[in-house]
Amino acid sequence: MTVTRDMLDASPSRAPLGVAEVAAAIDECLNCLQACISDADADLAERDIEEVRTCIALCLNCADVCDFTARVLSRPAQWDDFVVDRLLQACVRTCTVCADECAKHADHHRHCAICEKACRACIQACSALLAAEAVEELEKLGGA
Amino acid sequence: MTVTRDMLDASPSRAPLGVAEVAAAIDECLNCLQACISDADADLAERDIEEVRTCIALCLNCADVCDFTARVLSRPAQWDDFVVDRLLQACVRTCTVCADECAKHADHHRHCAICEKACRACIQACSALLAAEAVEELEKLGGA
Amino acid sequence: MTVTRDMLDASPSRAPLGVAEVAAAIDECLNCLQACISDADADLAERDIEEVRTCIALCLNCADVCDFTARVLSRPAQWDDFVVDRLLQACVRTCTVCADECAKHADHHRHCAICEKACRACIQACSALLAAEAVEELEKLGGA
Amino acid sequence: MTVTRDMLDASPSRAPLGVAEVAAAIDECLNCLQACISDADADLAERDIEEVRTCIALCLNCADVCDFTARVLSRPAQWDDFVVDRLLQACVRTCTVCADECAKHADHHRHCAICEKACRACIQACSALLAAEAVEELEKLGGA
C-alpha cells in the first residue's frame, strides 16, 4: 500500500482533477517506471537480445516519462493544466507504444508480459485524468 | 499492489541479496520518493513556511536518493555490490535525517507525519538489505 | 564544453530534426535543470522565503521537466514525434512560467536572475525545435 | 558554457568543499549523464548488439548515478558530508566500470570512445572532491 492518496488528502493545495484519480495515476506511473526499468534490464540478459532491442529502447523512454509525470502530479501547489495535459498525453503515448512492443514478446518472456500489463494500467489511469480534464474544460465553457 | 516482486522473479538475472528483500526496498523507495515530493510541495503552501524550510530541503534530497536507489536496485543484470552498498548507506542516512525533521512538524502537519512514516519504512527495508549484504560478506569469508 | 553534439553525430540513428538544434536543446535543458535545482535550494536559505515560495515550487517542476526532456532528446533510436512535441511544449511552458517568476526576484537575488536567463535560453532552444518540427510537418504535407 | 559556477557563487549557502571543484563535478556529472544515455541508445541500434549488452546496462546505471549526484551537489543548503561521500564513491565506481567497458568498443564505435572520455572526466572531478573531503576531515582532526 502506498501513501500517495493520504499525502494528496493532507496537502493544503488541491489538484483541480479528482484526488483519487490523481493518486491512482501517480501510483500507476511509479509502478510502470519500475516495470520498465526491470524489463529493459531483463531484456539485456536474454539470448534473443536482437529481437528485443526496440523493446529496451521504448522501456527506457517509458520509465523516464512515468517518473517525471508522477513527480509533476505529486505537486498540486503550482499545478499547471497545460503542463499536466502535455505530460499525460506524452505518457499515454509512450506507454501505448511500449505496451504494444512488449506484447510481441509476452509469450516467451514473462517480464515483457508483466511490463505490458503495467503499461496498460498506467494508460488507463492517465487517460482517466485526461478525460476528467476535458470535462473540467467543458464545465468552464458552460459556466462562462 | 505493485509488480516489483513479479518483475524481479521473471528476470534471467538474480540479485545476490534475497528477491523479496530487494523488491520490498524498491517499493519503499518509490513510496518514499512520492511522499517526499508531495511533502515538500505541501510545505511550500503552508503559512509557517519559515519553520519548514529545512524540511523542504531535506525532502528534495531524500526524493532524489530514493528514486535513484529504486532504479539501481531494479537492475540485477550488472549488479555491483559496492555501488549498491554505498547507495543504500546514502539512502538510509537521507531518510533518517528527513524523518527526524518531519517528526518535528508531525503534530501540526499531517503530511509531515505521513512522510515521516514513509521514510521510516524505507529505512527499515534498506537496512534489511544492508544486513543481508553483511551476512553475505561473512559467508564469503567463512567459505574462503 | 559538452560532448552532446559529438554523441549525436556518432550515433547510428538520426533525429528527424537538425542535430545541432537537438544538441543545443539538450544542453540548455541540462543547464536549466542545474540552475533550477540550485535556485530552489538558494531560495530555501533566503530570509524572504515567504516571497519566493512560488519560485521554489516552479523551479522544482522546471528542473524535472528539463531533466526528462534532455533524456528523451538524447535517444534518437526510437524517436517519437508526438512525444517529443508534447515534451517540448511542456518544457517551454514550464520554463516560461518559471522565468517570469524568477524575474520578480532578479533584482535582489542574483541566483534568481541567473536562473531566469537559463530558463530563457532553454525556451529559445526548445522553441527552435518546435519550429523545425512545424517546418518538417509542412514539408511532409507539401510532398504528399 | 554552463551557469553552474555562477549559481553556486550566488547562493547564500556554501558547500564545505571548494565551489570551483563542486561546480566542476556537477558539470562533468551532467555531461556524463548525457553521454551515457546517448551511448546506450546508440548501442541499441548497432549490428553487434550482442557485444555491447554489458555496455548498455552499465551506461544506464551510470546515467542515473550521475544525474542524482549532480542534483545533490547542486543543493548546498542542507549539505550532508556522509551522503555526498557515499554518492561520490558510488559515482566514481560506476563511471570507472562503465569507462572500462566502453574502452573495449572504442575502436569500432566512436560513441563508446566519446562516452569513455566523459566517464573519465567525471571520475577525475568526483575524485578531486573526495580528496578535498579527506583533507577537510584531516583538518578537523588536526584542529581538535
Side-chain angles (χ1 to χ4, degrees), chain D residues 11 53 55 62 89 98 102 109 119 141:
Chain D
S11 171
R53 60 166 90 208
C55 188
C62 197
Q89 285 190 42
C98 188
C102 285
H109 293 319
C119 289
L141 289 172

Side-chain angles (χ1 to χ4, degrees), chain B residues 11-78:
Chain B
S11 171
S13 311
R14 188 66 57 227
L17 309 175
V19 172
E21 287 74 17
V22 174
I26 293 170
D27 283 344
E28 293 301 349
C29 279
L30 292 176
N31 193 45
C32 193
L33 154 67
Q34 198 285 322
C36 284
I37 285 186
S38 277
D39 196 33
D41 186 79
D43 282 341
L44 283 168
E46 292 291 356
R47 261 189 302 176
D48 66 341
I49 186 167
E50 290 258 10
E51 315 301 319
V52 289
R53 59 166 90 209
T54 304
C55 188
I56 299 169
L58 294 174
C59 278
L60 298 181
N61 258 344
C62 195
D64 283 344
V65 172
C66 285
D67 190 340
F68 175 34
T69 304
R71 283 170 170 255
V72 172
L73 291 178
S74 296
R75 296 186 184 118
Q78 293 296 325

Side-chain angles (χ1 to χ4, degrees), chain B residues 72-93:
Chain B
V72 172
L73 291 178
S74 296
R75 296 186 184 118
Q78 293 296 325
W79 185 277
D80 183 320
D81 281 335
F82 181 90
V83 172
V84 168
D85 174 73
R86 292 312 181 272
L87 283 184
L88 288 173
Q89 286 188 40
C91 195
V92 168
R93 167 66 163 243

Side-chain angles (χ1 to χ4, degrees), chain D residues 51-118:
Chain D
E51 315 302 319
V52 289
R53 60 166 90 208
T54 304
C55 188
I56 299 169
L58 294 174
C59 279
L60 298 182
N61 259 344
C62 197
D64 285 343
V65 78
C66 286
D67 192 339
F68 290 105
T69 303
R71 284 170 171 254
V72 171
L73 290 178
S74 295
R75 295 186 185 118
Q78 292 296 325
W79 185 276
D80 183 319
D81 281 333
F82 182 90
V83 172
V84 168
D85 174 74
R86 292 312 181 274
L87 284 182
L88 288 173
Q89 285 190 42
C91 193
V92 168
R93 166 66 164 245
T94 319
C95 288
T96 302
V97 181
C98 188
D100 291 350
E101 183 64 29
C102 285
K104 297 181 191 165
H105 315 286
D107 60 344
H108 50 289
H109 293 319
R110 201 164 72 83
H111 47 84
C112 288
I114 304 167
C115 189
E116 186 201 349
K117 264 207 284 192

